[in-house]
């Protein structure tokens, strides 16, 4: 009976998501032209769609950046990709700023956590092809909304951003902060049979980002 009930629930949800009300969320043409222009091009339009999905009750949205490789290589800026990295920065800045302002104007920012993250940064030096390699020891990530105390930079690096000088934030800490902002316990462990699976690998929320800190 439980499996049948789960199947019925999944079927109803699938039908809802294929129905006109949910599919209407993808009709970006319903938005004012000025708002669409403020978001920018292809990436910005997907950010605008994410705002509409939030309004429609979607609880988790991932938006990848630079699917069209506007700089020729993507964020993996080896070799000549570095020459047009400014195009990526401009597109990200424009779309992200519009998303934050749009959510705030609709009183949705405090209930929405925005995370801009990557898997590594770039070293200060250039490689033989004129680009930059991989650097995992020090890089920046961004959190906005979610009722967090934003408008601050936590942690500093040396002048070339090659190593962290103070207030280091680990990846588990970053993930734990997201969980805490969403109201879930970052210390919770899930289980695969008898095997515990930690949510954040021992991460701790960044205290300075919470109003009570």
């Amino acid at each position: 009976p439980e499996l049948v009930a789960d199947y019925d629930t999944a079927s109803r949800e699938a039908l809802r998501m294929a129905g006109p009300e949910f599919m209407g969320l993808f009709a970006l043409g319903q938005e004012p032209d000025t708002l669409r222009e403020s978001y920018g091009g292809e990436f910005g339009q997907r950010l605008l769609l994410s705002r509409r999905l939030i309004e429609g009750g979607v609880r988790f949205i991932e938006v990848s950046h630079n699917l069209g490789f506007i700089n020729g290589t993507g964020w993996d800026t080896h070799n000549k990709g570095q020459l047009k990295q400014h195009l990526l920065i401009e597109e990200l800045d424009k779309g992200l700023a519009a998303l934050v302002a749009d959510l705030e104007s609709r009183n949705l920012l405090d209930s929405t956590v925005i995370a801009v993250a990557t898997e590594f940064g770039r070293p200060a030096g250039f490689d033989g092809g004129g680009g930059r390699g991989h650097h995992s020891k020090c890089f920046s990530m961004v959190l906005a909304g979610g009722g967090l105390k934003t408008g601050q930079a936590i942690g500093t690096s040396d002048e070339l951003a090659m190593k962290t000088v103070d207030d280091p934030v680990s990846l588990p800490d970053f993930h734990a902060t997201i969980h805490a902002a969403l109201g879930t316990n970052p210390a919770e462990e899930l289980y695969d049979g008898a095997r515990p699976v930690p949510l954040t690998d021992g991460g701790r929320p960044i205290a300075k980002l919470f109003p009570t800190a």
Side-chain angles (χ1 to χ4, degrees), residues 172-173 175-181 183-191 196-205:
D173 290 346
H175 294 152
T177 302
I178 294 173
H179 278 288
T184 57
N185 179 10
E188 181 181 355
E189 291 186 339
L190 305 179
Y191 283 85
V197 182
L199 289 183
T200 64
D201 199 17
R204 295 184 178 182

Side-chain angles (χ1 to χ4, degrees), residues 103 108-114 143-150 177-178 180-183 209-211:
L103 287 172
L108 291 171
L109 185 59
D110 283 345
S111 60
T112 304
V113 177
I114 300 173
L143 288 172
L148 297 171
K149 293 173 63 177
T150 55
T177 302
I178 294 173
L182 293 173
L209 285 176
F210 292 88

Side-chain angles (χ1 to χ4, degrees), residues 7-48:
Y7 178 81
D8 287 343
T9 299
S11 297
R12 285 195 301 271
E13 185 64 10
L15 289 172
R16 184 186 72 83
M17 293 181 69
E21 183 177 352
F22 185 82
M23 293 303 295
L25 298 174
F26 292 82
L28 297 184
Q30 296 177 355
E31 299 289 339
D33 290 343
T34 53
L35 181 63
R36 294 194 65 179
E37 290 169 2
S38 72
Y39 272 90
E42 180 267 344
F43 170 67
Q45 298 309 297
R46 286 188 285 115
L47 289 179
L48 174 56

Side-chain angles (χ1 to χ4, degrees), residues 44-190:
Q45 298 309 297
R46 286 188 285 115
L47 289 179
L48 174 56
L49 172 59
S50 72
R51 189 224 78 205
R52 290 174 62 86
L53 290 173
I54 290 169
E55 290 179 310
V58 177
R59 299 180 65 187
F60 180 88
I61 301 163
E62 180 180 359
V63 184
S64 296
H65 184 215
N66 198 34
L67 295 180
F69 291 99
I70 60 174
N71 69 326
T73 65
W75 280 103
D76 207 13
T77 56
H78 301 295
N79 304 319
K80 294 182 179 180
Q82 187 70 26
L83 297 176
K84 296 183 178 180
Q85 188 186 34
H86 62 285
L87 298 178
L88 302 180
I89 297 170
E90 291 170 358
E91 186 177 60
L92 178 61
D93 282 353
K94 183 179 180 70
L96 183 60
L99 176 63
V100 171
D102 197 6
L103 287 172
E104 186 172 35
S105 72
R106 296 166 187 272
N107 295 318
L108 291 171
L109 185 59
D110 283 345
S111 60
T112 304
V113 177
I114 300 173
V116 183
T118 180
E119 57 184 331
F120 48 71
R122 299 288 166 187
F126 291 91
D127 58 32
R132 293 165 70 187
H134 299 173
H135 187 64
S136 62
K137 296 181 179 180
C138 183
F139 54 94
S140 300
M141 294 188 287
V142 175
L143 288 172
L148 297 171
K149 293 173 63 177
T150 55
Q152 57 177 319
I154 297 175
T156 57
S157 71
D158 63 1
E159 61 182 5
L160 294 179
M162 292 297 288
K163 64 180 181 180
T164 305
V165 175
D166 58 38
D167 287 340
V169 176
S170 69
L171 289 177
D173 290 346
F174 185 79
H175 294 152
T177 302
I178 294 173
H179 278 288
L182 293 173
T184 57
N185 179 10
E188 181 181 355
E189 291 186 339
L190 305 179

